[in-house]
Amino acid sequence: MIRDALGVGVAVGLSGFAFGATAAGAGLGVLQACALSLLVFTGASQFAFVAALGAGGSPLAAVAGALVLGARNAFYGLRLSTLLRLPPAVRPAAAHWVIDETSVVALAQGDTRSARLGFTVTGASLFTLWNLTTLLGALGAEALGDTDAWGLDAAAPAAFLALLAPMLRTARERATALLGAALGLGLLPLLPSGVPVLAAALAAPLVLCAGTFRRGRRDGAAAQDRTDGDGRGAEK
C-alpha cells in the first residue's frame, strides 16, 4: 500500500513541472506560481486558473473557474471525514490534502488505519514533489524567455487531459466530459475569456437530467407493459 501511495504521489507530482512552466507563460512570477501550489494545491483548479489568465481572461473569471473545479474536493472531504476519523486538531491541516489522488488511495483501503496511512503518504509525497517541481518548472520557463516559442502554452491543456482521462470510467462520466468540452469550445468565440469554462460546468447537471429523464421513460414504458399484460391476462 505504501508503495502504491508513493507511486501515485511521484507520478502526479511530476506534473508540477508543467504547471510551473504554464504559470510563467501566463505571466505569473516564480513566487506567485509557488504560492498557488502551496496554498491552493489542487492541480486541475490551478491549471484552469493560469489557462484563463493566459488566454486574457479577467482574474475574477479565472478564480471562478478554479472554484468550480475545486468544489468537488468538498464532497471528498465529507466521505473521508467518516473514514479517517481524524482528531479535530488535525482536520484543518488534513483538509488541505483532500484532492483526487489522496481520496482514491484512502478510499481503496479496507480499514481506518490503512486509509489514514495511504492518505498521509500520498498527500505528503505529492505535496512535496508538486511544490518542488512547480518551482523548478517556473524557474526553467523564466530562463527560457518566450514560453510560446517553446510550445509551453500547450502544457496546461495537455497536463489537464492527462489528469482527467483516468477518471472517466463510466459512460455518464465520458458523456459529461465530452459535453463540457463541446460547450467550452463552442462558446469560446462568443464569450469573454474564462466564461466558457464556467459554462462548461453545466455539462454535469445536463447529463444528470438527461439520465433521469431516460430512466423515467423506461420505468413508464415498463409499467405500461405490465399494465397491458395484466389487461390481456384478465381478458383471457
Side-chain angles (χ1 to χ4, degrees):
M1 186 273 296
I2 293 179
R3 181 182 60 188
D4 293 339
L6 285 173
V8 171
V10 171
V12 180
L14 293 175
S15 300
F17 282 114
F19 172 72
T22 304
L28 274 66
V30 174
L31 290 178
Q32 291 173 315
C34 291
L36 274 174
S37 284
L38 280 168
L39 301 176
V40 178
F41 186 54
T42 173
S45 296
Q46 292 178 229
F47 276 115
F49 178 79
V50 298
L53 289 182
S58 68
L60 183 60
V63 169
L67 285 175
V68 168
L69 288 172
R72 70 193 187 284
N73 294 335
F75 297 98
Y76 294 152
L78 292 174
R79 178 66 182 90
L80 289 175
S81 65
T82 60
L83 174 65
L84 301 179
R85 296 198 292 272
L86 296 172
V90 178
R91 290 175 188 172
H96 194 50
W97 285 0
V98 176
I99 54 175
D100 296 325
E101 292 76 18
T102 56
S103 301
V104 167
V105 172
L107 292 171
Q109 308 310 314
D111 56 81
T112 298
R113 181 180 178 278
S114 298
R116 285 181 177 180
L117 185 58
F119 177 86
T120 303
V121 172
T122 305
S125 59
L126 180 50
F127 185 78
T128 301
L129 192 55
W130 178 267
N131 282 280
L132 177 60
T133 54
T134 294
L135 172 62
L136 296 177
L139 288 173
E142 193 175 67
L144 288 175
D146 184 5
T147 55
D148 288 347
W150 293 88
L152 294 181
D153 54 325
F160 184 81
L161 289 174
L163 291 172
L164 176 66
M167 303 177 191
L168 305 179
R169 297 186 179 91
T170 67
R172 177 179 293 180
E173 290 168 350
R174 290 189 289 270
T176 302
L178 288 173
L179 180 58
L183 286 172
L185 292 175
L187 296 174
L188 194 60
L190 306 175
L191 299 175
S193 297
V195 178
V197 174
L198 300 179
L202 295 172
L206 288 174
V207 171
L208 181 62
C209 289
T212 303
F213 178 72
R214 283 198 300 270
R215 282 197 302 272
R217 292 192 63 180
R218 283 200 303 269
D219 293 343
Q224 184 63 42
D225 290 341
R226 287 195 298 271
T227 302
D228 293 343
D230 292 343
R232 287 193 295 270
E235 290 175 1
K236 291 179 181 180

